[in-house]
Amino acid sequence: MPIWPPTNSNFCCSRIPNNNPPPDLVQTVANSEKKLPLLFRIVEETVKKTIPHSVIFEVTRRCNLDCVMCYVVGHDSAHPDELSLQEIKGILAQLAEAGALRLNLSGGEPFSRPDFLEIVEHARSLAFNIDITTNGTLIGPATVRRLKELAVWRVSVSLLGATAKTHDSITQRPGSFSRALNALKLLNEQGIKARIKTLVMKQNFGEYREIMALSRELDIPYSFDPTVSSRNDGSLDTLEMNLTDDQFKELVRDPTLGPGTLSLDSKELEGSRQERLAGHMCKAGVSFCDISWNGNVLPCMQYPEIAGNLRKDSFETIWRDAPLFVKLRNARKRDAPECKECELLPLCFRCPATAAIEKGDAFSAYESACRTARLMDEVRRSRVSGADTQRDDSQEGPS
């Protein structure tokens, strides 16, 4: 099977539609004067040409943990409508034909499917670049060896604390911390790119620096997300687990945080106000989408509206013609009437899905985004005034 760009150690196997790059795309990328890595330049062009360069595929909703903040409702068992292995293989073929490059396989807990490694194997046979999101508790030596054989690009493991006491209290499953930690070590030993993913919230805020220290000890990068989402049935009880104002500001101003964490140094904050207003509200439905365990296609995991179902229509039809996707592709940040004149716009990370859940309108302002922008602004102002000082070594450690 022709693969383009060529396989390398950092980006396993990627394709453009029909596994060969369209001549006009090759020429456009070749003529680009931007000093960006080839992959990023390709992604830019796929966005312009409405090619879904990335797809999140929730292969199951079942999970062996019961995390207190989980947005998935009813995840304790498989649903009778869950896609079969053959259906998933057919969908993967459609995604390859549509030109998808990256595939994030998640759940629920994807390894709770007995046939999950068969799914991964088939996806790799279609030259997808595979990223797996897992809680790590079902990963053992044999599984890791198979993942290495299949040249999986990355495995992201959720770590919700630096201690078993904290992590296990959040997952509500004793022993889950030690198993997640063991999975990270096994992945590292086999040379598989691993990542620690942590949802930072009230319950584990006091250990975020210890997680950073653990990351350094294991030589595995981490990613912090300080935003707890509502549940997918519309329940908002989980929002109470979000960081307090003081905790959020302390996290954002921490000079020791690595890249990939919400901060004033984020690349997403670059550009003029007009450039931001002209940009898409979100890339969901524009350059990526989500496929749920029952074949529903959504802009993202959280979006409360379905674009279509793959048991009824082809992926190509849904991706190109679904009214929801067309609306999102045409929408710009300036189309949010309450937001376009806001002075905090440059610091705003508003999410159309969260707006739709909290306010019933993807174009509306909503409290959690306004709060985040306000707190970011307070940190920015303190930094400009010089009141924001870095911690010394004696301040390192749990809060």
Side-chain angles (χ1 to χ4, degrees):
M1 174 181 293
I3 295 172
W4 186 84
T7 301
N8 63 54
S9 59
N10 296 317
F11 187 71
C12 296
C13 298
S14 299
R15 310 164 289 18
I16 302 297
N18 302 317
N19 301 316
N20 287 296
D24 60 329
L25 181 58
V26 175
Q27 192 61 44
T28 302
V29 170
N31 292 339
S32 174
E33 295 182 357
K34 293 188 176 182
K35 302 301 181 181
L36 293 172
L38 176 62
L39 173 60
F40 287 94
R41 286 152 53 197
I42 292 173
V43 168
E44 280 192 345
E45 293 306 313
T46 59
V47 170
K48 294 176 184 177
K49 298 176 185 298
T50 323
I51 298 172
H53 72 76
S54 179
V55 175
I56 302 167
F57 202 153
E58 302 171 81
V59 296
T60 184
R61 74 169 191 175
R62 71 186 108 165
C63 185
N64 58 323
L65 305 184
D66 190 22
C67 297
V68 295
M69 75 298 178
C70 185
Y71 69 91
V72 180
V73 177
H75 55 253
D76 54 342
S77 61
H79 193 281
D81 285 342
E82 186 171 281
L83 293 167
S84 68
L85 176 61
Q86 290 307 311
E87 286 178 309
I88 289 176
K89 286 183 176 181
I91 291 170
L92 291 176
Q94 292 184 56
L95 297 180
E97 183 66 25
L101 302 172
R102 288 188 170 185
L103 188 64
N104 176 261
L105 297 174
S106 67
E109 170 48 50
F111 286 98
S112 66
R113 280 191 70 127
D115 56 6
F116 180 60
L117 287 177
E118 292 183 67
I119 294 173
V120 176
E121 181 178 4
H122 190 72
R124 289 296 293 123
S125 74
L126 294 171
F128 282 106
N129 171 248
I130 303 294
D131 191 357
I132 298 172
T133 300
T134 172
N135 61 43
T137 61
L138 301 178
I139 296 178
T143 297
V144 172
R145 287 194 295 270
R146 184 59 180 143
L147 294 175
K148 182 178 178 63
E149 291 171 356
L150 293 171
V152 167
W153 174 60
R154 182 173 67 184
V155 179
S156 298
V157 178
S158 298
L159 205 62
L160 299 170
T163 63
K165 180 180 179 181
T166 298
H167 178 95
D168 293 359
S169 69
I170 294 173
T171 65
Q172 302 188 90
R173 293 292 186 271
S176 57
F177 175 77
S178 62
R179 293 198 295 273
L181 199 58
N182 185 60
L184 286 165
K185 292 177 180 178
L186 288 172
L187 291 164
N188 221 14
E189 289 170 2
Q190 288 293 326
I192 298 174
K193 185 176 183 179
R195 178 176 63 164
I196 295 170
K197 287 191 69 174
T198 302
L199 184 62
V200 184
M201 50 190 184
K202 288 175 182 175
Q203 287 88 335
N204 61 14
F205 175 77
E207 295 185 2
Y208 85 81
R209 294 189 195 94
E210 292 183 32
I211 294 173
M212 293 164 61
L214 184 59
S215 164
R216 291 191 294 271
E217 177 186 333
L218 297 174
D219 194 26
I220 295 174
Y222 67 87
S223 173
F224 287 166
D225 180 359
T227 306
V228 181
S229 302
S230 56
R231 301 192 196 276
N232 61 5
D233 66 352
S235 302
L236 304 178
D237 61 300
T238 51
L239 301 184
E240 292 298 318
M241 302 177 198
N242 273 305
L243 299 176
T244 66
D245 288 4
D246 287 342
Q247 288 173 334
F248 182 88
K249 288 190 288 186
E250 183 176 342
L251 180 70
V252 170
R253 65 163 56 100
D254 191 330
T256 65
L257 284 181
T261 301
L262 183 68
S263 75
L264 289 171
D265 300 316
S266 171
K267 293 293 184 183
E268 293 184 49
L269 297 179
E270 295 181 356
S272 69
R273 181 184 184 85
Q274 290 305 312
E275 287 175 330
R276 289 180 65 80
L277 284 171
H280 288 101
M281 286 190 175
C282 178
K283 291 298 190 295
V286 178
S287 61
F288 74 91
C289 67
D290 174 79
I291 298 174
S292 70
W293 50 270
N294 60 359
N296 284 337
V297 182
L298 307 93
C300 70
M301 291 179 171
Q302 290 291 108
Y303 212 93
E305 186 177 349
I306 298 168
N309 185 279
L310 291 167
R311 284 175 168 148
K312 298 177 181 178
D313 294 299
S314 69
F315 178 80
E316 180 73 16
T317 297
I318 296 171
W319 176 255
R320 294 284 179 181
D321 302 328
L324 176 58
F325 284 162
V326 173
K327 179 176 75 172
L328 291 175
R329 285 175 199 139
N330 290 331
R332 297 294 184 271
K333 291 178 180 178
R334 59 174 173 264
D335 297 325
E338 300 169 89
C339 304
K340 63 180 181 180
E341 301 298 334
C342 179
E343 63 178 6
L344 298 181
L345 177 70
L347 299 171
C348 184
F349 289 83
R350 76 179 304 282
C351 167
T354 306
I357 293 171
E358 292 189 19
K359 298 296 289 290
D361 180 5
F363 294 81
S364 177
Y366 61 97
E367 174 54 31
S368 56
C370 296
R371 169 183 175 265
T372 298
R374 173 176 56 79
L375 295 174
M376 294 280 282
D377 186 53
E378 289 180 19
V379 174
R380 181 187 64 82
R381 291 176 184 274
S382 66
R383 178 182 290 185
V384 171
S385 68
D388 194 14
T389 57
Q390 294 188 354
R391 298 181 183 83
D392 58 32
D393 292 340
S394 66
Q395 292 174 296
E396 287 297 324
S399 297

